[in-house]
Amino acid sequence: MYDEFREEEIVRKVGGRFKLSTLIQKRLVALYKGATPLVPLDTQDKMKIVIQEILQDKIYLDTSSNVRAAGSEPGHVGPPELDLTSL
């Protein structure tokens, strides 16, 4: 288990355990699809990267439960979405 989850700080920062788990899950998916980490860490552990991004206020959930990077335009956190409806 990650020690950061024993502290309530990360839960309060995001706004609750449900929002925290949603943010972690969505950001992990983005990282596994090739998104660039927003914090410099010497690790390949994507969960540690996500935890540090949250603790350093680099990512958050918007009102539609989409992951956003602090100070960026919508859609710049993960890889681009592909529109396959015209295929």
Side-chain angles (χ1 to χ4, degrees), residues 24-80:
I24 290 170
Q25 181 270 331
K26 288 184 175 195
R27 184 60 177 148
L28 281 172
V29 168
L31 288 173
Y32 278 108
K33 287 184 175 180
T36 303
L38 301 174
V39 293
L41 287 181
D42 191 24
T43 183
Q44 294 300 313
D45 187 342
K46 293 186 182 351
M47 178 64 94
K48 286 185 180 183
I49 293 169
V50 172
I51 291 169
Q52 283 306 307
E53 288 178 343
I54 294 168
L55 291 174
Q56 294 180 29
D57 295 320
K58 301 290 185 179
I59 59 172
Y60 64 95
L61 283 177
D62 68 9
T63 56
S64 299
S65 293
N66 294 311
V67 178
R68 297 287 181 234
S72 74
E73 294 296 318
H76 288 277
V77 175

